[in-house]
Amino acid sequence: MRKTVDILGVSIDSITMDDACEKINGFLEGGETRTVFTPNSEIIMAAQRDKTLKDILNSGDLVVADGAGVVLASSILGEKVPAKVSGIDIIRKLFADANPFVSFFLLGAKPGVAELAEQKLIQAHPGINIAGTHHGYFDEKEEDLIIAEINDSGANVLLVALGASKQEKWINENKSKLKAKVCIGVGGSLDVFAGKARLAPEFIRKAGFEWLYRLIKEPRRFKRMLDLPRFMFQILKAKYKRRR
Ligand code: UDP
């Protein structure tokens, strides 16, 4: 049975990284296309303003706590999830496992980035199978062709890196046409694998200050990041309401 925690109306799986990866491996054996979403506090706040996004997140077959803020929120609400399980860490583990039955299609990021990510990933994990790539700047008219390309590639895991909310909506709209068994929304991960963007050092990620690192590196995110204090305020409000 699925154990979930409600964070401002978004159901988050209470799961460890290993169990999340095991679940994804299980999805690969199923008949349907399953969805994996990785909301952080910013996305949960976006879902407060966008009911469609909230419904899509709640329809996910696996929805993990991507970020220290979500883990802290679960703890404040009294139902602490066991760990932060970020999208990039999930796919890193899937790449490292190099299961010969898994083949990936990388969809998203600027032209050239997915191909560069493919090259670097193959260098780092010689056993992995990347069935195809496509950039993320296409218009609706091209979509059917891109979906055909993904399906023809034979990939069973589709990594969708179109940025938060766009990727969840794209997956939801197209999952019935896709043959891949698992679609994962992975934000800016392809930029990281291509070496175009850097993750915060491990000790900063572990300490829960990745948001501060990103803010310093990408000050244009400042407006978006104002959602972080708003998120904590909403969580404290929800806790107070539950107590009464
Ligand atoms: N992106 C894309 N198509 C678009 C908009 C964005 O492929 O129409 C890509 C963008 O190039 C970047 C990723 O989506 O690689 C978004 O990265 P970001 O770090 O902003 O992710 P988020 O924090 O929004 O999940």
Side-chain angles (χ1 to χ4, degrees), residues 4-36:
T4 57
V5 176
D6 182 293
I7 308 278
L8 305 181
V10 177
S11 269
I12 304 282
D13 283 273
S14 192
I15 200 165
T16 61
M17 171 67 77
D18 284 348
D19 289 346
C21 290
E22 202 171 296
K23 206 163 171 191
I24 292 173
N25 284 323
F27 290 163
L28 291 171
E29 286 158 24
E32 304 158 49
T33 299
R34 306 298 192 103
T35 54
V36 180

Side-chain angles (χ1 to χ4, degrees), residues 92-110:
R92 272 176 164 171
K93 184 157 170 27
L94 295 177
F95 290 146
D97 289 351
N99 177 340
F101 299 107
V102 181
S103 62
F104 299 91
F105 192 101
L106 316 181
L107 173 67
K110 297 206 173 112

Side-chain angles (χ1 to χ4, degrees), residues 43-181:
I43 304 177
I44 293 177
M45 281 312 284
Q48 307 305 301
R49 301 180 284 261
D50 181 346
K51 167 98 171 48
T52 307
L53 176 62
K54 191 187 261 182
D55 291 344
I56 293 173
L57 291 172
N58 284 329
S59 75
D61 296 295
L62 177 64
V63 184
V64 292
D66 188 337
V70 183
V71 178
L72 176 62
S74 70
S75 167
I76 292 173
L77 294 173
E79 295 173 281
K80 192 172 189 294
V81 296
K84 172 180 124 179
V85 181
S86 67
I88 194 156
D89 289 337
I90 289 184
I91 53 179
R92 272 176 164 171
K93 184 157 170 27
L94 295 177
F95 290 146
D97 289 351
N99 177 340
F101 299 107
V102 181
S103 62
F104 299 91
F105 192 101
L106 316 181
L107 173 67
K110 297 206 173 112
V113 173
E115 289 78 4
L116 195 57
E118 175 186 18
Q119 284 168 21
K120 298 213 167 170
L121 285 168
I122 290 172
Q123 273 167 20
H125 311 281
I128 71 168
N129 188 357
I130 296 183
T133 58
H134 197 288
H135 65 77
Y137 293 83
F138 48 84
D139 59 40
E140 256 183 77
K141 282 182 279 165
E142 297 169 90
E143 232 159 60
D144 284 348
L145 269 179
I146 296 171
I147 290 171
E149 192 181 327
I150 297 167
N151 288 340
D152 291 346
S153 78
N156 50 9
V157 177
L158 173 62
L159 304 181
V160 186
L162 301 176
S165 105
K166 190 167 185 176
Q167 63 202 15
E168 287 77 11
K169 290 181 178 173
W170 192 90
I171 291 174
N172 183 59
E173 214 173 291
N174 296 299
K175 69 179 174 193
S176 62
K177 299 184 217 156
L178 290 162
K179 290 188 188 156
K181 298 284 192 220

